[in-house]
Amino acid sequence: MVRLFDFNKYYIFGAGRHAEEVFYLCLNSRGTSHKISGFIVESPMTDSFLNLPVYSLNDFLLSFISSKRKPKVLVAVGDVKVNQRVNEILRGNGIFSFSTIHKSVNLRSFAHIGVGVTICQGSVFTTKISIGSHSIINIGCTISHDVQIGAYVNICPGVNIAGGVTINDGVFIGTGAVILPKVIIGTNCVIGAGAVVTKNIEPNLIVVGNPAKFLKENSI
Ligand SMILES: CC(C)(COP(=O)(O)OP(=O)(O)OC[C@H]1O[C@@H](n2cnc3c(N)ncnc32)[C@H](O)[C@@H]1OP(=O)(O)O)[C@@H](O)C(=O)NCCC(=O)NCCS
């Protein structure tokens, strides 16, 4: 049965641990904190999460199909491809995203920030940094000057990125990785946890180790 959802409200796509982290981040975000009204998943296994309702994506979309006023949805899923796919579905249905940025983050660090960006507690940014839409910067990262981060990038906890680095769209950087100055990481690469990236990485590769070396192609 299709339920009527409240428009003009904020929802999180996802009901896993990252979604839970984002829910609490929303309570401590910059500016107007976003009061979350519920969670959305593709196939709900439960009716509620964190004492809020869980809706199926299809029901959610159907409820707003003819409504001019749409709610906002932040996709809180670590998988880069799922993040991309769900955001495209939402956008195709006229539903847009919102950003949640921890209140400790200094917005003057940024030359540009896209929409639907998540920046968690304890990440530190210096200056002239760009972040593309729907990217995630998890807890405790350091990001230095003139770093360009594309769209749908997931930077896991404790990553250190030196000055002048370029990270293209759809890159996943595992926890604790280090990216050395001016390195360019190609689209859809995966950087393994703890890797030290010393040289440019061609698109669609998975690299691991110190110094980071080719492990395999990222075929997904
Ligand atoms: C790089 C990564 C994506 C590879 O995953 P995978 O394709 O499933 O690879 P496998 O686990 O099959 O490992 C393949 C080989 O690479 C090695 N390897 C995997 N990850 C590695 C890493 N981060 N550093 C060094 N070697 C690594 C494995 O030991 C294995 O070596 P072997 O063939 O000699 O036994 C993954 O290991 C990783 O680092 N993910 C990051 C996870 C993360 O940070 N999550 C944070 C969530 S908040």
Side-chain angles (χ1 to χ4, degrees):
M1 190 180 104
V2 177
R3 286 168 282 191
L4 266 187
F5 302 104
D6 211 350
F7 54 80
N8 217 5
K9 294 244 169 145
Y10 299 95
Y11 294 85
I12 289 173
F13 181 93
R17 288 290 168 244
H18 182 58
E20 185 169 345
E21 290 171 341
V22 170
F23 172 80
Y24 289 113
L25 175 63
C26 286
L27 300 177
N28 288 290
S29 65
R30 296 193 65 87
T32 324
S33 74
H34 300 113
K35 189 170 177 298
I36 301 302
S37 297
F39 294 86
I40 307 159
V41 294
E42 288 187 272
S43 310
M45 309 286 276
T46 169
D47 277 352
S48 78
F49 182 60
L50 302 176
N51 295 321
L52 289 170
V54 178
Y55 306 112
S56 89
L57 180 59
N58 277 345
D59 280 356
F60 189 82
L61 295 176
L62 278 172
S63 301
F64 289 108
I65 206 153
S66 55
S67 165
K68 282 193 180 142
R69 297 171 70 189
K70 314 273 190 193
K72 292 206 161 137
V73 178
L74 179 59
V75 178
V77 174
D79 185 298
V80 166
K81 292 291 171 210
V82 175
N83 186 11
Q84 204 160 359
R85 182 170 55 78
V86 172
N87 271 297
E88 279 164 12
I89 293 170
L90 290 167
R91 204 163 41 244
N93 284 274
I95 293 175
F96 293 94
S97 197
F98 62 96
S99 293
T100 184
I101 297 174
H102 191 266
K103 57 190 174 194
S104 63
V105 173
N106 182 357
L107 288 186
R108 277 175 297 185
S109 303
F110 300 102
H112 167 78
I113 303 190
V115 297
V117 167
T118 302
I119 303 181
C120 300
Q121 186 169 14
S123 281
V124 179
F125 301 81
T126 62
T127 185
K128 297 195 178 112
I129 295 159
S130 296
I131 303 183
S133 296
H134 312 294
S135 287
I136 301 165
I137 316 288
N138 215 306
I139 50 172
C141 297
T142 65
I143 305 203
S144 193
H145 63 90
D146 302 287
V147 168
Q148 309 240 18
I149 297 170
Y152 301 107
V153 169
N154 185 352
I155 299 182
C156 290
V159 168
N160 298 123
I161 300 179
V165 165
T166 301
I167 298 163
N168 283 293
D169 294 353
V171 168
F172 178 97
I173 305 186
T175 188
V178 175
I179 319 294
L180 295 195
K182 296 188 180 165
V183 160
I184 301 172
I185 300 179
T187 315
N188 297 327
C189 282
V190 173
I191 311 299
V196 178
V197 183
T198 58
K199 297 193 279 209
N200 295 352
I201 310 290
E202 292 296 313
N204 303 309
L205 302 184
I206 303 180
V207 298
V208 296
N210 177 9
K213 299 261 194 252
F214 173 81
L215 176 67
K216 57 186 164 184
E217 304 249 341
N218 185 20
S219 50
I220 306 163

